[in-house]
Amino acid sequence: SEPMLTLYKEFNLPASKYIFVPPSTVKNSEPIVNDHNYSKDQVFHFIYAGMIYPGYRDLDSLIDAVNGMERVNLEIITDLHYKKVQNPNIQIHDWLKRDELYEKFNNSDILVFVDNFFGYQVPSKINELLALGKPILFIYDKRNMYLFNKLQGNAGLFFAENKKEKIVQTVKNIIGSSHINVNYKVQSEYKEEYVQQMLIKCINEV
């Protein structure tokens, strides 16, 4: 991410010696717009897939928040060594093949993104989730507000601070919805055309 560039100052490298080339997104389309409708008694299927780093990025508050919550099913796809849970509405599975993972995403109602508690985030994962066009529960930490600030104003993103009570309230707001409009504006600097231009610039200068 752009804040990462500040790290290079520690190496006393002049700005002319490096260039930031972000990871690209799959979709280069116009804003992603989708409408999602839900029945009154529907069980909402939330899904998280990704690495877990205890104390840096973990799901403890999320698991505590949705434990036993009615009309909520949380599926976690990660390293099975993370932890075991006995909650009937929470399942943890080991890694899947990509096509199986996409099928899980397509069959889910709400995608879950957990931001790093601190440090420098490279926003490739959140852009890939945005490209799927589904509502997203975005869990953030106040020590790391970069992506939170960058993604404000995108309809379909539900922000919750990484605390049990905050997540509970946001999840209740989501499952209380009969309709969610998604309108995601994928950042132009992450589109493939932009990234290609940056790489060509690097090659030409070298």
Side-chain angles (χ1 to χ4, degrees):
S1 59
E2 291 89 339
M4 231 174 198
L5 294 176
T6 61
L7 292 176
Y8 288 94
K9 294 180 180 178
E10 298 178 11
F11 304 122
N12 295 318
L13 291 173
S16 61
K17 294 294 184 182
Y18 58 86
I19 187 169
F20 171 61
V21 181
S24 65
T25 58
V26 170
K27 289 196 173 184
N28 298 316
S29 62
E30 294 302 314
I32 299 161
V33 180
N34 283 313
D35 287 313
H36 300 269
N37 297 302
Y38 309 97
S39 62
K40 182 176 62 176
D41 301 317
Q42 177 174 340
V43 174
F44 283 71
H45 183 197
F46 290 69
I47 185 168
Y48 173 86
M51 296 293 293
I52 293 174
Y53 303 99
Y56 184 71
R57 182 172 73 234
D58 62 52
L59 307 184
D60 292 351
S61 295
L62 174 64
I63 289 172
D64 289 344
V66 303
N67 177 18
M69 185 179 289
E70 295 183 359
R71 298 181 59 216
V72 172
N73 177 276
L74 171 63
E75 187 169 10
I76 299 168
I77 300 170
T78 190
D79 186 343
L80 281 176
H81 297 296
Y82 171 56
K83 67 186 331 182
K84 300 288 185 180
V85 293
Q86 303 299 324
N87 309 321
N89 65 323
I90 301 175
Q91 300 86 41
I92 299 181
H93 305 298
D94 206 350
W95 302 118
L96 297 174
K97 294 180 180 179
R98 179 171 297 203
D99 56 345
E100 294 174 319
L101 177 61
Y102 283 152
E103 184 177 357
K104 291 274 190 183
F105 280 147
N106 288 331
N107 292 330
S108 67
D109 299 300
I110 310 294
L111 308 179
V112 178
F113 178 84
V114 181
D115 205 0
N116 294 345
F117 300 165
F118 55 88
Y120 296 89
Q121 178 66 279
V122 178
S124 53
K125 181 175 180 180
I126 186 61
N127 277 304
E128 294 296 350
L129 292 182
L130 292 170
L132 295 174
K134 286 182 172 281
I136 297 173
L137 170 60
F138 186 111
I139 299 173
Y140 69 93
D141 190 288
K142 284 188 173 180
R143 291 170 290 180
N144 188 23
M145 302 289 284
Y146 167 68
L147 284 182
F148 174 89
N149 293 326
K150 194 174 186 67
L151 293 171
Q152 290 295 302
N154 283 276
L157 275 172
F158 294 84
F159 295 95
E161 188 179 354
N162 203 336
K163 295 181 178 180
K164 177 182 176 180
E165 63 276 10
K166 300 291 187 181
I167 297 173
V168 167
Q169 186 57 56
T170 303
V171 170
K172 285 182 176 179
N173 290 341
I174 292 172
I175 66 176
S177 305
S178 60
H179 173 84
I180 295 176
N181 170 254
V182 165
N183 191 336
Y184 296 146
K185 305 170 184 65
V186 177
Q187 302 294 325
S188 61
E189 65 264 35
Y190 300 111
K191 293 183 179 180
E192 286 186 343
E193 293 91 347
Y194 177 85
V195 174
Q196 290 168 0
Q197 292 171 7
M198 298 295 283
L199 288 171
I200 291 171
K201 184 175 187 293
C202 286
I203 292 169
N204 289 339
E205 290 185 358
V206 169

